[in-house]
Amino acid sequence: MSYDQRKLDILKVIIDDYIETAQPVGSRTVSRKFEPMLSSATIRNEMADLEEMGLLVQPHTSAGRVPAQSAFRIYVDQLMGDNAITPDEKVGITNFYMRHIGDMENLIKSTASLISALTNQPAVALVPQLRRTTLKRLQIIPIIKGAAMVIIVTSTARVKQTVIRVPDNVTDDVLNAISTMMTARFAGHSIADIDVSRIGSVEDAYLMDSKLFAAIEECILDALVLPDGSDVMVEGTTCAFNFPEYSEIEMLKGFLSTFDNRVRLQRLMTEALRHEQCVVIGDENQDEWLNDLSLITAPYKVHGRSVGAIGVIGPMRMDYARVTESLDLISSNLSNVMSLYVNE
Amino acid sequence: MSYDQRKLDILKVIIDDYIETAQPVGSRTVSRKFEPMLSSATIRNEMADLEEMGLLVQPHTSAGRVPAQSAFRIYVDQLMGDNAITPDEKVGITNFYMRHIGDMENLIKSTASLISALTNQPAVALVPQLRRTTLKRLQIIPIIKGAAMVIIVTSTARVKQTVIRVPDNVTDDVLNAISTMMTARFAGHSIADIDVSRIGSVEDAYLMDSKLFAAIEECILDALVLPDGSDVMVEGTTCAFNFPEYSEIEMLKGFLSTFDNRVRLQRLMTEALRHEQCVVIGDENQDEWLNDLSLITAPYKVHGRSVGAIGVIGPMRMDYARVTESLDLISSNLSNVMSLYVNE
DNA sequence: TGTTAGCACTCTCGCTCGTTGAGTGCTAAT
DNA sequence: ATTAGCACTCAACGAGCGAGAGTGCTAACA
């Protein structure tokens, strides 16, 4: 019982069909689709072998077969085709990014929508991470006595705001001065660089209240960098309504609840940002909550440096060819657009 | 066949039960709950009357009865109780707002979550509307050649950003100067006041490129004020998974799709902002897409002026007493907190 | 006159059970 | 090695049936 090519070809036909229909695939179906023509009996023999090899699973005796998780792995690594995205669609993607103007949150949100529309799967996208981009401007604006808002604008045109407490005796002018000064000092620097030591030197220079700097420091290092779920955009969860595997309400609920915990998703995507495109199938996922799903992610880059990530989460049965190609394309388009924004 | 009190009392029992169970209510159930004790036969007679009056509907002969839309109207206007919210819960709400610190988007989002948690219904909340608050600061930040980002901070600590095109020859210093100047000029003014004519005078004073001002004007009047769906927060849609009326996937899909069109929701809530608390049941709604749902909204105010709105969208069967009380309470708490932010 | 017990009737819901059909594994022939 | 043929399995579907909840009506009663 060898790993011969025919077995793999048959496996591909089975998986292709299963991806499309979400139904167990029978020998007759394969026989009809398979080239060269083989009788269903022959296919049956091969399928029995594939089952013994752990690549197929029979839900019950008289059903067809369903690909096992390991089969999807082989499919992704060796079997699936390419050119799943038509030239027209490629042009569409390019146009989408050429036409786009707007702020970062919007761009990333639209990107998630685009991925979802293209793949018919829920899509996830991570906004450019602050500590991976550079500061463009920092502005502290008083709100009420005792509180001020820190607004940070990054080189990727991202705006992030947070509220900090400030001592009562700090005047608007002081906050303004600090804003100007910090902007001048740190503009163009990586946000990760705005660290305690440097703030120290600033403090010395301006002889300011150290509590205020402590607050600003905390604001930048914690509030702006700790994952709070607001950095991750989710679009297209309604796709799941059309998935046959979630036709039961409890199943659907289970699947959709995956997207509720934004902090968890954000952590996941922040991790994904560190790798090139990757496909994680079923319990290959470290996280238990993804154990019967597949996660496909790709980073996007500004001048070659990964600053964010996009991805798709869906059932193990998904059109891997289409999804991986889509993510690749979109990632590179997005990277280009974003690199335009940022003068190196 | 009069509108006598007993009929109304029976109606109340029926609706209370129906709100709780979403099941047709039979005469025996009512008989058991009704005070004074009456036989189910008597109740049956009354229920037959109520049906004839158009207040009850029988799904089929051998089922109990379901309140008609008009019955819910009467229920809301005359029958439902109060004190649906326990003192403990009230304290919880107050604490929630006392503890809160953060920016506006966050506060409104949390508010929506709170409403949803309290009512077990999907909740909707509208961020303070720009044209109803005053400007705190306007900052134009260049992003790339030909584009700049306008950041507006309002008196309600809201930050709104948008990207505008600027002529290539405008320098950073000019943008900075304009920012400072416009902030000085318009800070404290209603954002609706930043209109063409005033921009005209500013333009004269600084002899600036009129195209740039046109762009800024457009940015403020259009991009920042036109409903784009980003002003409305939706939380708790997953509540619907537990509603018996949406136990069929198609029903659920239909209901949840209500929340997909954010622009539509934003328009709805912007309209709601103009009224005091109101309960709109079924096809009392102007909008067809709400015709078999109920919408309950309440505005929230800063120093007596409505600037935003909160609301609940759910099936006609909903705990109106609890929802209206919750919205009232939260609206007044939120109004208080927000008024604190804004020095009159 | 309002209330209630009793009863026949209706209709949904859930259950069982036989039928159907897709799919299998095995065997024997090619 | 391939395939036709066949007996076998099992989920899915639908019909048929009984149970139960609920009704309306009637007649008796306070």
Side-chain angles (χ1 to χ4, degrees), chain A residues 123-342:
Chain A
V124 179
L126 187 71
V127 165
Q129 289 306 89
L130 289 180
R131 51 185 340 151
R132 296 187 154 245
T133 53
T134 59
L135 181 74
K136 187 132 214 164
R137 187 180 195 103
L138 185 152
Q139 182 78 46
I140 308 171
I141 300 174
I143 315 175
I144 42 171
K145 238 182 174 33
M149 176 174 276
V150 180
I151 298 179
I152 286 186
V153 183
T154 73
S155 55
T156 50
R158 176 154 183 227
V159 179
K160 176 112 186 184
Q161 71 239 35
T162 194
V163 171
I164 56 169
R165 295 183 185 283
V166 294
D168 282 7
N169 57 344
V170 176
T171 66
D172 294 10
D173 288 343
V174 170
L175 291 178
N176 245 324
I178 297 176
S179 304
T180 312
M181 178 266 292
M182 286 190 77
T183 301
R185 183 83 177 76
F186 293 119
H189 287 78
S190 155
I191 289 180
D193 287 354
I194 307 178
D195 62 11
V196 197
S197 58
R198 282 171 188 255
I199 285 179
S201 71
V202 167
E203 180 181 357
D204 293 344
Y206 283 77
L207 299 167
M208 290 272 100
D209 182 348
S210 66
K211 273 190 194 157
L212 182 54
F213 281 105
I216 295 173
E217 176 209 334
E218 192 197 314
C219 146
I220 295 172
L221 295 183
D222 289 354
L224 294 184
V225 172
L226 276 185
D228 65 348
S230 68
D231 280 10
V232 74
M233 305 284 181
V234 177
E235 292 287 320
T237 51
T238 43
C239 291
F241 280 99
N242 304 316
F243 293 168
E245 46 267 80
Y246 302 128
S247 60
E248 274 164 67
I249 211 112
E250 279 306 313
M251 290 285 111
L252 182 64
K253 189 174 170 181
F255 178 66
L256 290 183
S257 70
T258 310
F259 300 95
D260 282 347
N261 190 333
R262 293 299 164 102
V263 177
R264 205 167 63 172
L265 278 181
Q266 183 169 331
R267 272 202 225 101
L268 183 75
M269 294 303 285
T270 312
E271 183 57 34
L273 169 159
R274 297 207 177 80
H275 310 102
E276 286 310 296
Q277 189 188 80
C278 65
V279 178
V280 195
I281 301 168
D283 62 21
E284 293 172 4
N285 281 291
Q286 302 292 321
D287 302 280
E288 204 183 334
W289 50 285
L290 282 171
N291 272 356
D292 41 43
L293 300 175
S294 278
L295 168 72
I296 304 176
T297 56
Y300 59 83
K301 308 178 179 189
V302 170
H303 299 310
R305 178 172 166 78
S306 296
V307 296
I310 56 180
V312 160
I313 296 177
M316 272 193 259
R317 164 199 80 95
M318 79 162 78
D319 189 340
Y320 289 98
R322 218 181 144 73
V323 171
T324 50
E325 267 185 64
S326 300
L327 288 184
D328 261 349
L329 270 168
I330 291 178
S331 152
S332 78
N333 271 280
L334 181 57
S335 297
N336 287 342
V337 170
M338 216 118 107
S339 295
L340 279 184
Y341 270 64
V342 186

Side-chain angles (χ1 to χ4, degrees), chain B residues 176-196:
Chain B
N176 244 325
I178 297 176
S179 304
T180 312
M181 180 265 293
M182 286 189 76
T183 302
R185 183 83 177 76
F186 293 118
H189 287 78
S190 156
I191 289 179
D193 286 355
I194 308 178
D195 62 12
V196 196

Side-chain angles (χ1 to χ4, degrees), chain A residues 47-84:
Chain A
M47 283 170 80
D49 289 352
L50 285 167
E51 180 169 5
E52 208 170 326
M53 293 158 86
L55 296 175
L56 294 180
V57 171
Q58 240 181 333
H60 56 265
T61 337
S62 74
R65 264 130 174 151
V66 166
Q69 182 182 314
S70 50
F72 284 116
R73 180 80 271 162
I74 293 176
Y75 181 80
V76 169
D77 290 344
Q78 314 173 35
L79 303 178
M80 72 181 178
D82 41 17
N83 296 319

Side-chain angles (χ1 to χ4, degrees), chain B residues 255-298:
Chain B
F255 178 67
L256 291 183
S257 69
T258 310
F259 299 95
D260 281 348
N261 190 333
R262 292 299 164 103
V263 176
R264 206 167 63 173
L265 278 181
Q266 185 170 331
R267 272 202 224 100
L268 183 77
M269 294 304 285
T270 312
E271 182 56 35
L273 167 161
R274 298 207 177 80
H275 309 103
E276 285 310 295
Q277 189 189 80
C278 66
V279 179
V280 194
I281 301 168
D283 62 19
E284 294 172 3
N285 281 292
Q286 302 293 320
D287 302 280
E288 205 183 332
W289 51 283
L290 283 170
N291 273 355
D292 40 43
L293 299 175
S294 278
L295 169 72
I296 305 176
T297 57

Side-chain angles (χ1 to χ4, degrees), chain B residues 82-93:
Chain B
D82 42 15
N83 296 320
I85 308 291
T86 67
D88 274 3
E89 289 172 318
K90 290 185 190 177
V91 172
I93 296 174

